[in-house]
Amino acid sequence: MTLNDTLTQTAEAIEQMLDHLLAPTAGPESRLVEAMRYATLGGGKRIRPFLVVQGARLFNVSEISALRTGAAIEMIHCYSLVHDDLPAMDNDDLRRGRPTCHKQFDEATAILVGDALLTQAFEVVAAEETHSDCAVRAALVVAMARASGVEGMVGGQMIDLWAESNELDIPAITRLQRMKTGALIRLSCEAGAILGKAPEAARQALIAYAHDLGLAFQIADDLLDETGDEATVGKRVHKDAEAGKATFVSLLGVERARDQANMLAEQAAKHLEMFGKKADPLRMLARFVVERST
């Protein structure tokens, strides 16, 4: 299959898993569940679950374990988008080509959506259905907490807010993005190795791949924000320039930033040599993230 076919297949499987895990409910809390489903279902490339599924296949992990873990990480990713879009953060009206969660519902509900998705993500990975070995489930919980907390995504978001009134150089931007975007990508790449109880060398190879992939992904995002249009990208563009925040593109320029992204994608693929052809989908993904238009 082509990479697009494989991405589509994984996205459909993750959609079904999320639909199952976030089943509609009755009662006053049904509005919250409806909003959670709105924020997670029917959109997105599902790159993070794709990384989980493909990484898990390297170690012959069961599909259900990979899909449940991928769905949990996608819940965290979607929660972060809901909170990022709030007026107190990026104040966005559009996400994936449709109204953001707080516009479709209201700000209070959107805050609760993020709270609930984060909490449920941990419930999913801690459940016995995800893996029979409690030590594996505990390792996933610890890795997920580090990736999503102050050492990872949330800490990176705080630095991003701080950057609105402070100047950052390339090393500082790199650290910011390794935390804000890269930590969840690293978790997604590492999760398959955790589920498969992989040797340390294999786990470190996937972490190295994730580091380069995460930076390439963020530079591509910066390029889309600088050169893309709202109709194609599916969200507001030129946000960083309007906020006066330094990015890879603003400091390097469009062409140098594009060259850097391409170099990182090639470097990411080289980390996968030990896995042979089984890692071809991950190699192709590294190229995809720097060539995407959304």
Side-chain angles (χ1 to χ4, degrees):
M1 291 192 296
T2 66
L3 178 63
N4 281 335
D5 290 338
T6 310
L7 280 167
T8 299
Q9 184 183 71
T10 302
E12 290 173 351
I14 287 294
E15 187 84 1
Q16 292 175 9
M17 179 59 72
L18 288 168
D19 183 50
H20 166 69
L21 294 171
L22 300 171
T25 187
E29 69 275 20
S30 62
R31 178 177 171 82
L32 172 60
V33 178
E34 180 188 355
M36 292 166 70
R37 290 172 61 84
Y38 180 86
T40 55
L41 298 177
K45 294 174 284 294
R46 310 299 192 194
I47 285 176
R48 290 157 190 82
F50 179 85
L51 291 167
V52 177
V53 169
Q54 292 301 321
R57 286 177 181 171
L58 297 176
F59 311 106
N60 301 314
V61 173
S62 76
E63 196 80 354
I64 190 68
S65 292
L67 289 174
R68 285 180 62 89
T69 304
I73 293 173
E74 189 71 357
M75 286 181 189
I76 294 178
H77 173 57
C78 291
Y79 122 68
S80 74
L81 300 182
V82 171
H83 279 193
D84 279 355
D85 290 337
L86 286 167
M89 303 285 272
D90 289 348
N91 194 23
D92 278 323
D93 298 339
L94 196 67
R95 170 70 66 179
R96 294 171 177 168
R98 61 180 185 171
T100 49
C101 190
H102 71 277
K103 285 293 182 180
Q104 185 71 14
F105 294 87
D106 55 72
E107 290 181 31
T109 300
I111 292 169
L112 293 177
V113 163
D115 296 343
L117 285 173
L118 176 63
T119 306
Q120 188 156 349
F122 281 96
E123 179 184 349
V124 170
V125 297
E128 191 171 357
E129 297 94 322
T130 298
H131 201 285
S132 59
D133 189 337
C134 60
V136 169
R137 301 198 303 273
L140 281 173
V141 166
V142 171
M144 185 178 288
R146 286 176 177 162
S148 57
V150 70
E151 296 180 18
M153 184 181 69
V154 175
Q157 182 62 49
M158 187 69 251
I159 298 173
D160 195 36
L161 292 172
W162 181 82
E164 292 180 4
S165 55
N166 294 271
E167 291 187 9
L168 299 183
D169 57 13
I170 289 293
I173 293 173
T174 300
R175 178 172 181 264
L176 185 163
Q177 300 303 347
R178 282 202 188 281
M179 293 171 68
K180 181 182 175 183
T181 303
L184 217 56
I185 289 176
R186 169 180 166 157
L187 170 65
S188 302
C189 293
E190 193 179 5
I194 295 173
L195 288 166
K197 303 180 183 180
E200 186 63 20
R203 186 166 172 171
Q204 289 304 317
L206 286 170
I207 290 172
Y209 166 81
H211 281 171
D212 290 335
L213 182 74
L215 280 180
F217 185 95
Q218 185 56 50
I219 294 173
D221 254 13
D222 290 349
L223 286 164
L224 287 174
D225 186 67
E226 178 68 23
T227 65
D229 64 272
E230 186 174 294
T232 302
V233 177
K235 61 182 178 180
R236 183 163 58 95
V237 295
H238 310 306
K239 292 188 300 183
D240 292 327
E242 291 169 6
K245 289 194 291 188
T247 66
F248 289 110
V249 174
S250 68
L251 294 182
L252 296 176
V254 169
E255 291 308 316
R256 283 184 63 199
R258 186 170 284 118
D259 289 344
Q260 184 72 8
N262 286 326
M263 182 273 291
L264 285 164
E266 292 172 7
Q267 193 168 282
K270 290 178 181 177
H271 292 302
L272 302 172
E273 289 180 358
M274 69 182 296
F275 302 112
K277 289 188 175 296
K278 288 182 73 173
D280 279 350
L282 293 175
R283 293 187 184 92
M284 289 188 284
L285 184 74
R287 175 52 44 194
F288 171 82
V289 300
V290 298
E291 294 177 349
R292 62 198 166 90
S293 59
T294 60

